[in-house]
Each structure stands twice: as structure tokens, then as C-alpha cells.
Amino acid sequence: RPVSASRPPCLQRNGAVFALMIRKGSMRRQNELPYIPPVGSIFARRTHGLDLELRGRHAVVTGAGRGIGRAIALALADAGVHVAFNYLRNRKAADATLAELRERGVDALAAKANVADPQALSGMFTEVRERFGTLDLLVANAASGVERDAMDLTAHHFHWTMEVNAWGFLNAAQNAVPLMGNGGSIVA
């Protein structure tokens, strides 16, 4: 269906959700976007001929101990996806997320790992390989930044942000792809 004013703006071009929907053949015409259902319902639906059934698949969601990453991990668990995730500082929140994932009937793994640290992230993906054997989906959600005026930023602030947001994503993708075997998806 074409984008219309009757659909809420968040459903017209919702970053992560839109990224999940773009697959070969899903765009009918240049000026037409696929219908994007609310986030909680997309994972177990069939949309525009694209099978989004994920039950029994394996995913890594970076930064899923809390916030948006947690919501993504729980939505995936609701669809029957086994989820591994990392956290950086808040073990209590990570434990709560882990418990809630397991309550939803899926296998779950939490690892303390900084995405900007190649050794720590490699260790997490080693745990994923040992636990799940394979990987179908990487959701690169972990992010960081410094809330300061541009003139107050230092090289340290810039490098920290780039290490987490850019290098962390690349590092996670490089660790995930070898576990994807016959293919998988990366959402950033």
C-alpha cells in the first residue's frame, strides 16, 4: 500500500522496522513503501510475500540489557527467537532482561561485553557459537554519546563515541557473519 497521511508518521519510515522490511521484491514502485505494522507485531507475520516467521531462530541484540535493545530482545522472544545480548555496566537490569526472556520460553544468554572492545565482543560471540551453534540475526543496537556543546567536546569524547557506534557495529558484524552460515540479517 502506498504511504498515506492516514498512517502515523512513525509507521511510514520507522528506522529499524523499515530496515527489517526491505527485502528483494518488497518495493513495488519507487514512491511506494511497504506497510509497516507496529513493532511488537512484525516478527511473526507474513508481509508482502516476505516470510517473517522467526520461531527457533537465533539472534544477538547488542545493548539489550535495558531500553530499546531490551524491547527488541523481548519482541524477538515473543516470536520464539533465542536471544543473546550484551550489556556494559548494569548487571541488575541485564539479569532482569535475561529472566524475562527465559520466562517467554526461549534460550537466552547475557554477556558483559563492551562492543568497542574486540576481545570482549569476540568472547561473547564465542559463547553464542557454543550455546546456539548458529546465528540468524544481529541487531546492532548498542550506542553511546556525549551530551555536550560541540565546542566542549574533546578528542576523547569523539573517539569514545566512534569506537562504540562505528567500530562496535563493524566488530559485531565481523563476529556475527561467520556464524550465519547460509545467510542472515544485520539490522543497524
Side-chain angles (χ1 to χ4, degrees):
R1 295 186 288 187
V3 174
S4 70
S6 64
R7 221 177 300 156
C10 66
L11 297 182
Q12 291 180 12
R13 288 192 186 262
N14 184 333
V17 176
F18 188 69
L20 284 171
M21 300 303 297
I22 299 303
R23 297 281 192 264
K24 185 176 180 181
S26 67
M27 298 294 280
R28 301 207 189 282
R29 288 184 288 226
Q30 258 186 325
N31 64 347
E32 190 175 288
L33 292 174
Y35 171 69
I36 303 169
V39 172
S41 65
I42 68 166
F43 296 113
R45 287 202 174 169
R46 190 171 185 87
T47 305
H48 290 286
L50 174 66
D51 187 1
L52 290 177
E53 178 59 49
L54 298 174
R55 185 163 309 285
R57 304 283 181 138
H58 302 96
V60 168
V61 181
T62 63
R66 59 190 180 88
I68 294 169
R70 179 179 186 276
I72 293 168
L74 294 174
L76 287 168
D78 285 340
V81 177
H82 306 292
V83 179
F85 68 94
N86 77 301
Y87 66 96
L88 181 57
R89 293 184 185 97
N90 194 336
R91 176 66 189 211
K92 189 174 182 178
D95 286 343
T97 300
L98 187 62
E100 195 163 345
L101 289 168
R102 289 179 176 158
E103 286 172 9
R104 293 170 188 225
V106 299
D107 192 6
L109 170 69
K112 181 176 172 79
N114 181 349
V115 295
D117 178 348
Q119 290 179 333
L121 206 57
S122 177
M124 181 185 81
F125 278 92
T126 296
E127 288 184 59
V128 168
R129 185 183 67 245
E130 290 170 358
R131 180 76 155 268
F132 296 157
T134 186
L135 186 63
D136 301 293
L137 174 65
L138 166 64
V139 179
N141 168 73
S144 186
V146 179
E147 292 185 34
R148 293 191 179 184
D149 291 335
M151 297 308 293
D152 295 332
L153 292 175
T154 66
H156 172 76
H157 298 133
F158 177 80
H159 289 292
W160 167 256
T161 301
M162 293 304 290
E163 284 174 4
V164 172
N165 299 344
W167 171 244
F169 164 69
L170 178 61
N171 192 15
Q174 288 175 338
N175 278 279
V177 168
L179 301 178
M180 291 183 170
N182 293 328
S185 298
I186 298 175
V187 179

